[in-house]
């Protein structure tokens, strides 16, 4: 008797079909947003997440069960090379195209302080000392007791300063991203082997959250690099490779991190310190020595930060952050239960959703899978998981929006840990199924590649106003003039400060427009002879520059 094969079950056909439909829907939605046919709003983001988790994820799970276990070689070094190529192909040209354009006052403040350091100065002369002080507003800048400076710590501006002399400051963050890839690969190789290391760097570079966040002037990329270096040094000590030297390197990296982003250093440094003490738990003398050295490094970092605050503000306290808001406390951070709950249900929920979308498909699920499977076998994985989640907890106290363009930038410093844990979860989930793993990775890369033009367009649109205005202003055949920048929907004039430290000798002085009634007084107070307005036409996407207007200022001593 000849048996006939049973017809395929409906689920075995329908579920992969839904997965393919999900891929096509994601590509179509991303293309429509990138081309400007659909807005990139909460509805489009929610639809994309529903497609990924409602269609593609069930199909992937069904595909894994159907694939069975088979032999075969895993991916080779082509993954790490693909990661490097992808990062360079996206980040470097985009950074070169953006030039000195900015999208936030944070970038402008960092650059202004870097120009001060490059000129051998800590502060510039405050224009508010010679003009009516209320007319000046530069976001995240202070004009205090005759001094003009940015409110941020000195670490990142000090790194930017040499690059400003050769106009290479825009390339520092992409270069830091390449070094983060290398350190991520080294950490993965040290802990989990070459297969996980190769997957980790690809997951990192294929993430718009990582790659597109490394083309701005913000301090997150160098902070991430220093944190990765500190973790790598700790792991080298854990493996017995020059423990004293490695732990010293960890403390040095954390000290430098405190000068770049003190809040991040406090949270992540505490966890790394606890990890180092656990490493030395049976050698109490060395543990006490490390604890003392760590405390000394923390005190030294605090002293340097307060000393710098005294140099620029004239006092150790209040901090420049507090002076900027006119208080004695740092207003951005609040630990009240009501504020924490409000942040959790609004800012944090939104930030997690944005990062989930811009990160890598199913990365939190893969990382959680890796932690759960290895929770009793590896304390190091628990340390990595605690570090990865630390900034989410830390920024619950941050009561103001970060104004991020791609994911939540406050979580950037520990994202490489999510990539490492996600790569471990990926290799364990697809263990023994190399062909299925290749197809699944290709599908996830397709899901992610469609988001690069979406977020890339958003980056370009956000930088376009300042880029267009700066280009138009530099083409003006004027000197001894004040350029009054006018606000529009997409151009915030008070975010932009391209003025040099010695602004008195510069041909142009740029500032936010105080209004027609005050223009003449400001021009005369600054010792200039003419003014011109500049702004951005939101509808046409071009800069608008008015005609130069001469001003007859009274001579000193005249009535």
């Amino acid at each position: 008797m000849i048996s006939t094969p049973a017809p395929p079950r409906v689920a075995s056909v329908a579920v992969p079909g839904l997965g393919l439909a999900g891929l096509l829907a994601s590509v179509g939605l991303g293309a429509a947003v990138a081309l400007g046919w659909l807005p990139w709003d909460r509805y489009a983001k929610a639809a994309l997440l529903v497609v990924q988790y409602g269609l593609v994820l069930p199909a992937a799970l069904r595909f894994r069960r159907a694939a069975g276990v088979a032999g075969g070689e895993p991916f080779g070094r082509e993954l790490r090379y693909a990661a490097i190529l992808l990062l360079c192909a996206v980040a470097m040209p985009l950074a070169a195209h953006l030039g000195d354009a900015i999208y936030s006052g944070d970038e402008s403040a960092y650059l202004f302080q870097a120009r001060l350091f490059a000129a051998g100065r800590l502060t510039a002369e405050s224009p508010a000392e010679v003009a009516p002080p209320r007319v000046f507003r530069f976001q995240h800048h202070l004009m205090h007791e005759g001094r003009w400076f940015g409110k941020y710590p000195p670490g990142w501006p000090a790194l930017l300063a040499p690059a400003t002399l050769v106009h290479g400051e825009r390339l520092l963050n992409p270069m830091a991203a390449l070094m983060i890839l290398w350190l991520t690969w080294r950490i993965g190789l040290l802990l989990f082997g070459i297969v996980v290391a190769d997957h980790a760097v690809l997951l990192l570079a294929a993430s718009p959250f990582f790659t597109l966040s490394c083309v701005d002037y913000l301090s997150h990329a160098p902070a991430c690099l220093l944190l990765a270096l500190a973790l790598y040094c700790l792991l080298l000590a854990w493996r017995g490779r020059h423990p004293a030297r490695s732990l010293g390197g960890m403390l040095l990296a954390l000290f430098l991190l405190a000068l770049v982003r003190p809040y991040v250093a406090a949270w992540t440094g505490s966890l790394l310190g606890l990890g180092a003490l656990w490493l030395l738990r049976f050698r109490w003398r060395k543990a006490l020595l490390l604890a003392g050295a760590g405390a000394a490094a923390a005190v030294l970092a605090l002293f340097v930060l307060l000393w710098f605050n005294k140099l620029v503000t004239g006092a150790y306290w209040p901090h420049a952050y507090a002076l900027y808001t006119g208080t004695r406390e740092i207003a951005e951070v609040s630990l009240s239960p009501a504020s924490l709950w409000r942040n959790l249900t609004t800012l944090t929920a939104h930030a997690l959703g944005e990062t989930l979308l811009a990160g890598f498909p199913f990365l939190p699920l893969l990382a959680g899978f890796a932690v759960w499977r290895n929770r009793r076998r590896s304390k190091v994985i628990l340390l990595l998981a605690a570090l990865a989640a630390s900034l989410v907890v830390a920024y619950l106290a941050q009561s103001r929006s970060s104004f991020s363009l791609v994911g939540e930038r406050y979580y950037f410093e520990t994202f490489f840990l999510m990539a490492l844990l996600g790569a471990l979860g990926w290799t364990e989930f697809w263990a023994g199924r190399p062909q299925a793993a290749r197809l699944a990775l290709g599908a996830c890369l397709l899901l992610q590649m469609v988001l690069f033009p979406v977020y890339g367009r958003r980056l370009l649109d956000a930088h376009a106003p300042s880029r267009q205005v700066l280009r138009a202003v530099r083409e003006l055949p004027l000197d001894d003039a004040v350029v009054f920048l006018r606000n529009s929907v997409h151009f915030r004039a008070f975010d932009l400060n391209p003025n040099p430290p010695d602004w008195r000798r510069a041909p142009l002085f740029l500032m936010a427009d105080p209004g027609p009634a005050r223009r003449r007084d400001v021009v005369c107070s600054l010792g200039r002879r003419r003014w011109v307005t500049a702004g951005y036409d939101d509808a046409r996407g071009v800069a608008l520059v008015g005609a130069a207007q001469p001003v007859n200022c009274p001579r000193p001593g005249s009535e």
Side-chain angles (χ1 to χ4, degrees):
M1 181 176 181
I2 301 175
S3 61
T4 58
R9 291 180 298 174
V10 175
S12 64
V13 177
V15 174
L18 288 176
L20 180 59
L23 288 175
L24 295 177
S26 298
V27 172
L29 181 60
V33 172
L35 293 172
W37 298 343
L38 291 176
W40 186 233
D41 54 14
R42 59 180 179 176
Y43 301 107
K45 296 172 185 177
L48 199 54
L49 285 175
V50 167
V51 167
Q52 288 186 6
Y53 283 83
L55 297 180
V56 179
L57 181 59
L61 296 175
R62 177 68 181 84
F63 181 56
R64 177 182 180 272
R65 288 194 296 268
V69 178
E73 294 295 326
F75 280 105
R77 66 183 65 182
E78 62 266 17
L79 287 186
R80 80 191 79 140
Y81 293 152
I84 295 172
L85 180 62
L86 177 62
L87 181 68
C88 293
V90 173
M92 295 296 184
L94 186 58
H97 174 76
L98 294 178
D100 55 358
I102 57 99
Y103 80 93
S104 73
D106 304 62
E107 295 179 285
S108 198
Y110 280 125
L111 289 171
F112 183 65
Q113 196 66 42
R115 291 194 294 269
L116 288 171
F117 288 164
R121 305 171 64 170
L122 295 177
T123 64
E125 179 188 357
S126 171
E129 297 302 305
V130 296
R134 292 184 179 180
V135 305
F136 291 96
R137 183 189 175 191
F138 292 94
Q139 187 85 327
H140 304 305
H141 296 63
L142 280 92
M143 295 183 183
H144 179 70
E145 295 183 353
R147 306 181 184 100
W148 188 15
F149 53 93
K151 75 174 188 179
Y152 292 113
W156 179 226
L159 295 173
L160 279 171
T164 62
L165 298 175
V166 294
H167 305 288
E169 58 270 31
R170 178 63 82 171
L171 296 178
L172 286 190
N173 271 341
M175 292 171 61
L178 283 172
M179 297 178 70
I180 294 168
L181 280 186
W182 180 79
L183 278 172
T184 301
W185 187 81
R186 293 296 303 179
I187 293 171
L189 183 64
L190 186 66
L191 292 178
F192 310 123
I194 194 168
V195 175
V196 174
D198 287 346
H199 280 80
V201 294
L202 183 63
L203 266 58
L204 203 56
S207 166
F209 176 54
F210 177 79
T211 298
L212 296 182
S213 295
C214 292
V215 297
D216 53 31
Y217 291 118
L218 298 175
S219 61
H220 300 283
C224 177
L225 175 60
L226 291 169
L227 176 60
L229 179 59
L231 175 61
Y232 183 55
C233 289
L234 173 60
L235 295 175
L236 287 177
W238 174 63
R239 286 296 179 91
R241 301 183 185 179
H242 308 288
R245 189 187 309 170
S246 298
L247 291 176
M250 180 192 77
L251 293 179
L252 177 60
L254 290 176
F255 171 78
L256 296 175
L257 176 58
L259 302 185
V260 176
R261 295 191 69 83
Y263 193 60
V264 172
W267 281 82
T268 58
S270 299
L271 289 173
L272 287 175
L274 291 174
L277 292 176
W278 177 83
L279 171 68
L280 300 173
R281 63 193 182 281
F282 300 121
R283 288 168 284 182
W284 64 269
R285 291 183 179 178
K286 291 184 177 181
L288 287 177
L289 181 62
L290 176 65
V299 170
L300 180 60
L302 180 61
F303 171 75
V304 171
L305 291 171
L306 293 178
W307 178 58
F308 177 76
N309 194 73
K310 185 178 188 303
L311 290 176
V312 296
T313 68
Y316 291 108
W317 197 263
H319 192 269
Y321 274 76
L323 286 176
Y324 179 73
T325 56
T327 62
R328 294 193 62 84
E329 304 295 333
I330 298 178
E332 288 88 347
V333 176
S334 174
L335 296 176
S336 71
S339 177
L340 293 176
W341 176 252
R342 183 174 60 251
N343 294 343
L344 178 63
T345 56
T346 56
L347 296 179
T348 302
H350 175 75
L352 288 174
E354 291 283 346
T355 308
L356 181 68
L357 190 60
F360 192 84
F362 321 121
L363 190 58
L365 294 180
L366 291 168
F369 176 73
V371 174
W372 180 78
R373 285 201 61 178
N374 299 276
R375 65 192 183 280
R376 296 180 180 177
R377 290 182 293 173
S378 177
K379 298 296 189 297
V380 173
I381 289 182
L382 296 180
L383 174 62
L384 297 186
L387 280 169
S390 63
L391 294 188
V392 177
V393 177
Y395 281 103
L396 279 174
Q398 178 78 22
S399 56
R400 297 183 180 179
S401 174
S402 64
F403 194 53
S404 301
L405 293 178
V406 185
E408 177 50 70
R409 63 183 179 90
Y410 285 156
Y411 304 157
F412 181 86
E413 286 85 342
T414 57
F415 186 71
F416 77 100
L417 297 168
M418 288 292 294
L420 274 169
L421 293 173
L424 177 62
W426 179 278
T427 55
E428 292 185 345
F429 184 79
W430 294 102
R433 300 169 174 85
Q435 297 296 332
R438 292 188 181 95
L439 290 174
L441 184 59
C444 285
L445 289 175
L446 180 61
L447 284 174
Q448 210 60 5
M449 289 303 102
V450 76
L451 290 179
F452 271 93
V454 171
Y455 284 110
R457 179 186 176 92
R458 190 178 186 193
L459 273 176
L460 292 174
D461 290 346
H463 287 83
S466 65
R467 186 170 179 266
Q468 296 283 357
V469 169
L470 283 172
R471 177 185 296 179
V473 167
R474 285 169 181 156
E475 293 175 353
L476 290 174
L478 293 176
D479 60 359
D480 204 16
V482 177
V483 179
F484 292 116
L485 303 174
R486 295 178 298 168
N487 282 315
S488 66
V489 174
H490 297 112
F491 178 62
R492 303 198 307 173
F494 50 80
D495 278 343
L496 186 61
N497 177 22
N499 296 298
D502 192 7
W503 54 268
R504 283 188 175 275
R505 297 186 180 182
L508 301 176
F509 182 85
L510 280 71
M511 61 177 287
D513 188 6
R518 291 183 170 180
R519 291 172 184 167
R520 180 181 181 277
D521 292 340
V522 170
V523 172
C524 292
S525 299
L526 294 175
R528 305 284 170 144
R529 295 185 300 171
R530 57 180 66 88
W531 58 266
V532 65
T533 61
Y536 185 73
D537 188 326
D538 296 310
R540 295 188 296 159
V542 296
L544 299 176
V545 179
Q549 304 294 324
V551 173
N552 293 320
C553 299
R555 296 180 179 180
S558 63
E559 295 295 333

